[in-house]
Structure formats: structure tokens, C-alpha cells
Amino acid sequence: MYAYDEIDRTLVNERVSEFRDQVKRRLSGELTEDEFKILRLQNGVYLQLHAYMFRVAIPYGTLATNQLRALAHVARKYDRGYGHFTTRQNIQFNWIKLAELPDALADLARVGIHAMQTSGNNMRNVTSDQWAGVAPREIEDPRIWSELIRQHTTLHPEFSFLPRKFKIAITASDHDRAAIKIHDIGLRLVKNEKNETGFEVLVGGGLGRTPFIAKTIKHFVHGRDILSYIEAILRVYNQYGRRDNIYKARIKILVHELGIEKFSREVEEEWQHIRNSSLQIDDEVIEDIRSRFTYPAYEKLPHMPDELRQAAADPDFEAWRKNSVAPHKVQGYSIVTISLKPIGKPPGDATAEQMDALADLADIYSFGEIRVGHEQNLALPHVAKRDLPALWKALDKLGLATPNVNLITDIIACPGLDYCSLANARSIPIAQELSRRFANHELANLIGRLHINISGCINACGHHHVGHIGILGVEKNGEEVYQITIGGRADEGAALGTLIGPGVKFDEVADVIEDVVEAYLALRERPEELFMDTVKRLGVEPFKERVYATR
Amino acid sequence: MPLVNGGKIVDDSFVKLAVDTPLPESGDILVPAERFIAEADALLKRPGKVGVIWPNNRDIDELVPYLGKVAAVALVFPTFRDGRAYSQARLLRERYNYRGELRATGQILRDQFVFMLRAGFDSFEVKKQADAEAFMQTAKRYSVFYQPTGDGRITALHRRMQLRHSEGVGT
């Protein structure tokens, strides 16, 4: 965990007081809606279909239990008793009153949580691997660097009014759980031949109307230079990014139009001016941040405790364990993923009661720490293996032990037309229907790892382009139509999916997905061949035939 | 439009000229970039100060040879959403050591003052009278800054270091 000190707390409080003043000026009419819009967005406040939506940052996905309880409190006191975890390590509340927002922010500020820059054309919440610091074979905890960058990008005086939003993600593992290749800047921690820490820097990834996989702009930037290098990229983008057309304003378009070579030359030139400036980070500063991350006092535990051996006789427990429990860097411990995808429910939602109860469980079983991942699930990062059976029972009582992590019902979906003013089609009901269709655990298990991603509009908040199966809702002649892509992925082998044919109607989506899955089961060479590998081997044609032959 | 300079509302000594306004014989003038570049020698010879209004999509490098001779540079925020002039301001102050008046013009509202001060602006053509009057109060809104800029304010990272050393922690 990272501990805020008085300096961080002061800044968050100053921000709350500024926003309180801005809301007051809006309510008195002193600020026009046009003026206020940018200011509220910079504080995570959207005007949605039915009400104001409030998006709170969970930097690099790490939460302490008192912070999770504060989120439950906001859900209960200012909203309708639940929150929605998003694909960007944020939580959203859908029904909040503008006049109460400053109080909600002040309540969160008490536990070091804020909503700064969770929206708007500035640098967004820095995201990272939800297993950071506990994943085996990680280069080092990427949150130390995430926190450094979080601080640097917060209320940045030069880059708070960029051409468009700007997202940075960091990973330190071979397996990329932070989806860095679909971010404006993706950072991968690496060591050079002198064993110094640095970054491979990728730039220009992103989804939406014009999806791109990020390209490597530099293979190694030393850790001490990472802020100046990011600053150089941003300065080039701020000056030359397009502002004439909102759809062409992201950095991916600039990188595409200039080409990565020319773009990187511009960045390099800018960087040479500033790399030896006060932006250079000395080891002492990094050590200071490192020292403020505390790690649990792990016990020396056996690899296979008796409790686990005994519980293995229970097939329900085993189904959950195989699916939700991952190896930890410390022997005797596990990382437990908590599915927020119960069958038939909106993906990513949690009630205030669940959040409070999870905070209690994290205190008992996970050294008071919770993680949030971009798949819209939560995780307990430090669970002793001997506690797994007891934890499972407790989670089951809360409706949080659905054994479907990474399976076909672990669906990522945006809020869609039910909440979002940008959406053209519903997402949640599609997710609900699919989750009911594939509710049978044996079947889901037989299918194996398969990610379905659903977006209710071209902005792609549900990351449909990188779903193994992607579903994009569009509007055509007043009707919701869904385009299906296959073969996308968001990990280290990131790729964009390929469209399999014409869009299908709302009522047909689940049937079509069933057809795609059946085709896969028939086509795979052996049970271990995952859906994405079959698609890679065969392309879309056989799937297209199966789906459209009878339609 | 009230002008705030040095934290106070002041009279603007500069008269803004368009591209084709006849040149007044004396007095301080602010002229558009294209006219300034075309007539720099003549403009700089006449009595009175000369300032230049530099658009946010024109390369600041073109202005660099004149920086020692101009009394003011006015950068433009066509809307407060367009942040290009923040980068221009920092380049002028931090890379080219420009020490004259650096003026923010366009849609200038109180909610940008802190960012602008940090980027190096010291003069503001404020859109709303109430915002101009609230300048000092708004400018002091924040006491913590995370990024080093040319304004010399100590960053949170370095303040922590100072505190550590003064407390003798870790030494």
C-alpha cells in the first residue's frame, strides 16, 4: 500500500475546496454550463442520461480497506447503494446530485481518494497490473513508478488542457495484465544489460473509432529519465495534436499521420532539451516513494497446507480455486480474483454491502488490501493458502464466488444505453443474456479462456476491439444492431479483432455467439487450443460460414 | 476586459493594433505576429514599447531572435480548452529565458490562473471582472505542487526530501 502524507492530503483537500467553489459558482449561474463542463469533467463528473455520473480514481488499482469502505459510504449516502467498477481502475456512481458532490469528494479525501482527472482532456488515472507487487517473476513493483507518474501528471500546469484525453498504463510482468498496448503511452518495466531499471515506451495505442495497437517509440528509457521522456511526448502532442476534429485529436492519430519515425524524432529533439533538467529523478526520490509502499509481514507457510488438501474434496471449492486463485510470489500465499460477474447481473457492479463485507474479508485474509483490475473484477492480493476454504465460503455468502474468472461469462461491458448518453445500443442486457446462456460451469470450463467484450457505441469503453469475441452495438435506422469481431486480445500479444460479417439484431446476438463458440469447439485441434489460437490459426472464414450460412 | 499584472488590476498601457491599423506616433503597442515579423525594424525604432501577439499555432522559434527587444509577449487562448499556449509560455520562460511581460489573452477565467502562473504568465487579460477581482485569492488556492516548472516553486517530491533531512530521518 502507498501511504499518503500530509503533502498529498493537503493537495487533495485544496482540490476539493476549489471544486466546492466551482459548483457554487455554477449553481449561482456565475459559471455557464460550457465553462463548468470542463471543470466538472476534470473532477470526474459527467452529465449522463438520467443524472450526474461521478467517476472516482483508484490509481494503479490499489485500495485499502478504509478506502473501500469510503466508496461503500458514498454509494449508500449519495447514490443508490451500489457502484460500478470500470475497465480503467475507476469506480462510477450513477445517480449523484451535483450539489452533494463536494461533500462526497470531501468524504473520500479523508481516506486519500480523489476523482482528479478521471475525465477531461488531461492525463487520466494511471493504471497498472492489478497483481503488481505480488505477481511471481515481476521486474519490480510497477506501482512505485505508477505513483511517481501519478504525482507528476496531477494538475500538471502545461498539460491540463490537451487536445484529448491521455491514458498511461504500466506493467512489469511478461504477461501484460494492464493492456499497455491500447493506451496513449504504454510502459513496460525492463532491465538493461547493467541491471538498471528502465522502460520500454510504447505510444499511440487506443480503441474507439480508429483503433490502433501502440508502437514502441524507445526500447529503453532509464528510470531517472522517465518523467522527462513522458513530458517530451506530451509537449509534442500538446503542440501538434489535432484540435480541429475531436475524432482525430488523440495522440494515436498524430503518431499515425506523422509516422512513428518522424514522431519519435520530434520527441527525441524535445527530450534532449529537458532530460537533464529538474525532471531528472534521483535515486533518493524513488527510494522515498518506495519506502512509502508497505508490504505485508508474510509468514513462513507451507506450500500445501492441510486446509487446502481437505477442501479439495469439495468440487465446488475446487472449481472456484482452479479458476480464481493464482500463484503468489511468496510461498504459501495466493492472489484471489473476485468475480464481479455473477450470472445474470451487470458486469462490474458491487453493492455497498458487498464492498463493506469485502473490506472486512480483506482485513481478515489479505492484510487490508484490495485490487481492482481492468476486467472489472476485484482481487485480494495476499491470501494465505490455508485461508482459501474459509474465504471461499464467506465470498459465496456474499454472491461473490462465481467461478467464472477468464471464462466466457467473465464479460467486460460498458454501461451502454441504460446509463450512458453517448451509447447507441444496450450493453448490459446483452451481457446478462450471454451470462445466462453460458451459465453452466461445465460447458464454460470446456470452452476455456474466452473473453467477451461489449461496447454500446463506437467509443469502445467495453474494449470490444480487443475482446476474443467483441460485440459492438450501433444504431441503424432506429434499431440496435451488433457487429461481431473475433480474434482480438489486450495482453502482451495485443491485436484487434476482425469483423465476421454484417451486424445482427439485439435478439440474435446470443444465438450468434453460441454459433461462434460451437464452431470453435468443433474446429479446435485439441482441448488446450484456446479460442484465440484457433482464430489465429484459421482466420475468420470458418466462423463466418457457421454464423451466416443459416441466416 | 480587466488586466491583472503583478497580482493587481492595472491600466493597460498597450494599444492593440490590427494588421492594417496606422501606426501611432508614440505610445506602447501590441501588434499581431505577422505584422511584427514583417515590420520589426520599423516598429522597434519608434518611441514606445512594442509587444507582440503570438498565435498558438505559430512556431515560437520564429520569435526567439526578437525576445531581447520586445516588452511583452501576448499568448492566445482562443478558448480555455485549447492549452497550446501553456507549452509556448514554458518554452519562452524556461528554454529561452524570456523575462519581459508574458500575457495571457483570450478566454481567461479564474480556474486557469494557477496553471498559467506556473507556466510563467505574469499578466492576464481576464474575461470577467469578478474573476479579475478574485485573482489573488484564486492564485493562492494551492500550496502543493507536484511538477517542477520555471516558476521555482518547490515540488512535493523535493519538499519531502527537505523534511526528511531536517528531521534527520534516514541520515
Side-chain angles (χ1 to χ4, degrees), chain A residues 26-146:
Chain A
R26 173 66 194 123
L27 293 173
S28 75
E30 209 182 312
L31 276 173
T32 65
E33 178 53 26
D34 183 51
E35 290 163 348
F36 180 61
K37 184 178 172 187
I38 304 298
L39 305 173
R40 67 169 159 77
L41 289 176
Q42 290 176 343
N43 284 280
V45 182
Y46 281 80
L47 185 53
Q48 284 293 28
L49 218 49
H50 310 288
Y52 282 100
M53 183 269 275
F54 175 42
R55 182 184 290 159
V56 178
I58 302 166
Y60 38 88
T62 296
L63 276 174
T65 47
N66 67 331
Q67 294 176 322
L68 186 57
R69 288 191 187 95
L71 294 173
H73 158 81
V74 167
R76 199 176 285 120
K77 182 166 179 191
Y78 302 101
D79 209 89
R80 294 189 180 176
Y82 67 97
H84 172 75
F85 289 94
T86 78
T87 53
R88 292 223 2 100
Q89 297 179 321
N90 294 308
I91 183 170
Q92 293 177 179
F93 299 101
N94 283 304
W95 306 95
I96 204 136
K97 291 188 189 70
L98 181 60
E100 293 184 350
L101 265 162
D103 289 338
L105 276 168
D107 290 354
L108 292 174
R110 280 189 206 109
V111 293
I113 293 194
H114 61 75
M116 284 186 266
Q117 297 174 202
T118 53
S119 178
N121 294 336
N122 44 46
M123 285 178 281
R124 299 290 187 87
N125 184 33
V126 175
T127 56
S128 188
D129 183 351
Q130 69 269 25
W131 294 359
V134 289
R137 295 181 303 282
E138 178 177 77
I139 302 263
E140 67 174 48
D141 190 339
R143 293 174 304 165
I144 290 149
W145 300 94
S146 307

Side-chain angles (χ1 to χ4, degrees), chain A residues 114-304:
Chain A
H114 61 75
M116 284 186 266
Q117 297 174 202
T118 53
S119 178
N121 294 336
N122 44 46
M123 285 178 281
R124 299 290 187 87
N125 184 33
V126 175
T127 56
S128 188
D129 183 351
Q130 69 269 25
W131 294 359
V134 289
R137 295 181 303 282
E138 178 177 77
I139 302 263
E140 67 174 48
D141 190 339
R143 293 174 304 165
I144 290 149
W145 300 94
S146 307
E147 173 59 25
L148 178 79
I149 295 167
R150 181 196 76 80
Q151 294 188 17
H152 186 74
T153 55
T154 297
L155 301 184
H156 196 293
E158 184 176 342
F159 306 126
S160 287
F161 300 90
L162 292 167
R164 277 291 269 146
K165 57 185 165 184
F166 202 92
K167 301 170 180 179
I168 300 177
I170 309 178
T171 183
S173 288
D174 287 343
H175 180 53
D176 174 11
R177 280 170 294 267
I180 65 165
K181 291 188 178 177
I182 54 167
H183 283 76
D184 296 292
I185 291 179
L187 299 175
R188 194 167 74 82
L189 263 161
V190 289
K191 295 272 189 191
N192 67 5
E193 61 284 358
K194 288 186 225 154
N195 203 34
E196 294 169 318
T197 304
F199 296 89
E200 179 188 353
V201 180
L202 295 94
V203 73
L207 302 177
R209 195 169 298 246
T210 325
F212 282 108
I213 299 297
K215 299 170 186 74
T216 297
I217 180 169
K218 212 163 175 69
H219 288 281
F220 188 83
V221 174
H222 197 288
R224 67 172 168 257
D225 295 322
I226 194 62
L227 292 184
S228 61
Y229 196 75
I230 290 172
E231 189 116 328
I233 292 176
L234 279 154
R235 187 169 276 168
V236 170
Y237 172 55
N238 192 35
Q239 290 181 98
Y240 303 112
R242 285 180 64 168
R243 292 175 193 259
D244 57 325
N245 180 340
I246 182 175
Y247 302 117
K248 297 190 172 175
R250 296 287 294 270
I251 195 171
K252 63 190 175 186
I253 304 291
L254 181 66
V255 171
H256 179 68
E257 286 182 353
L258 289 180
I260 187 70
E261 291 77 20
K262 185 157 194 302
F263 180 79
S264 69
R265 276 201 302 278
E266 293 276 348
V267 170
E268 194 67 28
E269 192 187 322
E270 181 58 40
W271 187 44
Q272 293 312 326
H273 284 291
I274 58 176
R275 65 181 292 191
N276 296 319
S277 69
S278 48
L279 288 169
Q280 198 174 84
I281 314 151
D282 45 42
D283 292 345
E284 204 184 3
V285 165
I286 281 295
E287 286 316 310
D288 181 63
I289 291 185
R290 201 187 301 276
S291 73
R292 288 160 67 209
F293 277 90
T294 53
Y295 296 91
Y298 296 113
E299 291 174 69
K300 210 167 160 47
L301 295 175
H303 174 65
M304 180 50 85

Side-chain angles (χ1 to χ4, degrees), chain A residues 392-439:
Chain A
W392 170 66
K393 278 193 188 123
L395 288 172
D396 197 32
K397 273 193 200 135
L398 297 169
L400 292 170
T402 315
N404 63 349
V405 175
N406 286 327
L407 298 183
I408 191 165
T409 54
D410 186 3
I411 296 167
I412 292 176
C414 75
L417 201 54
D418 295 291
Y419 293 98
C420 179
S421 55
L422 299 172
N424 304 109
R426 288 168 289 172
S427 303
I428 292 172
I430 297 273
Q432 289 172 307
E433 175 60 20
L434 284 171
S435 114
R436 283 189 288 259
R437 288 278 177 116
F438 293 99

